[in-house]
Amino acid sequence: MMGNLQDYNPSGVGQANGNLFGLPFDYESANLIVFGVPWEVTVSYGAGTASGPQRVLEASPQLDLFDFDNPDGWKQGIFMQEIPQDILEKNEYYRTRAASIIERLEQGKSLTETPDLTPVVTEINQAGANVNQWLFENCQEALNKGKRVGVIGGDHSVPLGYFQALAAKYPDFGILHIDAHADLRDAYEGFKYSHASIMFNAMKIPQISKLVQVALRDICHEEVDFINNSNNRIVAYYDSLIKQRQYSGATWIDLCREIINNLPQHVHISFDVDGLDPKLCSKTGTPVPGGLELEQAYCLFRELVNSGRKIIGFDLCEVGDAEWDGNVGARIVLKLANFLNLSWQ
């Protein structure tokens, strides 16, 4: 351990020791390993989410650790691996390359015009595949050692390698997806591993038997068709329809229970912070008016635990490059870690 746990005071001043929440754990002593992935090459609106893992880490020591749902949740042992600087450097390089492609497309021009940008698309897709493989290998190693895993992005393309690692361990699991966007586009803007394609790519993994999406409110026709033609493998709870039902008298707790009933026994939580009201995540990549309050999301996760289902992992993506966004992101990570721990007690 990084320090003597018997001497650790969870009510004391948070230590700037390089670990999430200033906790006194290392890789070997922790039961939950968190990977920060500073990657946002394909972002198509606001940039900055590559700094999300660092912002969460910086904000985390100032949090108080008592949690009404799981007061001793911190004792499970939480350790964040060092944020890989080589991935951050590659992100900066390929982000510039991707920007030229996005600009060309937004001008309504073909990528094959001079200069031909199609080789750049291939290069970026290979870079995305390399990041996926890196995360897959690291997550699989941790899972094989009996640990749980959490991932902090970066944009929402990040967790695909983690989904693949979970699929190697669990023959059947579902994803509870909080997001303003469905992320069901096929290679959006030509990028196979686009942030807008993560759930399209997830649906290629046969072990993922169910995708339940909550708070969607910015979606294209093809995505709606994809959902409607999924034979109920994908269930969408659109933000406007959630609110309309609430305006008609439905309670949020009843809606949470209905949402959870669609999921199998093992569940991964994939949380894009733009699923929340933008006041909580104003520097996220693609903020959209509407969305959930933070306590609404926590209520949903609480009902997931109360249902007896097991949370097998989580990712938090699209945290913006700002102190406030890091503050909110750190609180979400701690809550997800505690709910994950609680679901296995």
Side-chain angles (χ1 to χ4, degrees), residues 49 151-159 270-274 284 315-320:
T49 62
V151 168
I152 305 173
D155 70 31
H156 212 162
S157 69
V158 158
S270 190
F271 197 145
D272 185 323
V273 294
D274 70 29
T284 190
D315 65 83
L316 176 69
C317 294
E318 307 275 357
V319 174

Side-chain angles (χ1 to χ4, degrees), residues 118-237:
T118 53
V120 180
V121 174
T122 301
E123 184 182 0
I124 290 171
N125 286 340
Q126 183 58 55
N130 293 342
V131 172
N132 292 336
Q133 183 64 25
W134 174 86
L135 187 60
F136 168 78
E137 291 173 358
N138 280 273
C139 290
Q140 186 173 57
E141 180 181 4
L143 292 170
N144 287 343
K145 291 181 177 179
K147 298 179 184 296
R148 307 292 177 193
V149 171
V151 168
I152 305 173
D155 70 31
H156 212 162
S157 69
V158 158
L160 184 60
Y162 183 21
F163 295 167
Q164 293 164 340
L166 287 172
K169 180 177 177 66
Y170 295 96
D172 173 69
F173 68 98
I175 296 177
L176 177 58
H177 176 205
I178 312 299
D179 206 324
H181 310 89
D183 293 345
L184 289 167
R185 293 176 180 264
D186 182 2
Y188 185 57
E189 297 177 323
F191 303 125
K192 182 176 180 181
Y193 304 110
S194 169
H195 66 101
S197 303
I198 179 62
M199 294 307 164
F200 181 88
N201 292 328
M203 290 295 90
K204 297 178 183 178
I205 301 173
Q207 292 89 338
I208 300 175
S209 60
K210 205 79 169 189
L211 171 62
V212 179
Q213 304 182 292
V214 181
L216 305 184
R217 54 196 187 277
D218 202 12
I219 191 168
C220 75
H221 290 78
E222 288 183 354
E223 290 175 304
V224 173
D225 290 341
F226 193 95
I227 292 167
N228 291 341
N229 295 322
S230 70
N231 293 318
N232 209 41
R233 188 181 177 203
I234 306 173
V235 179
Y237 283 84

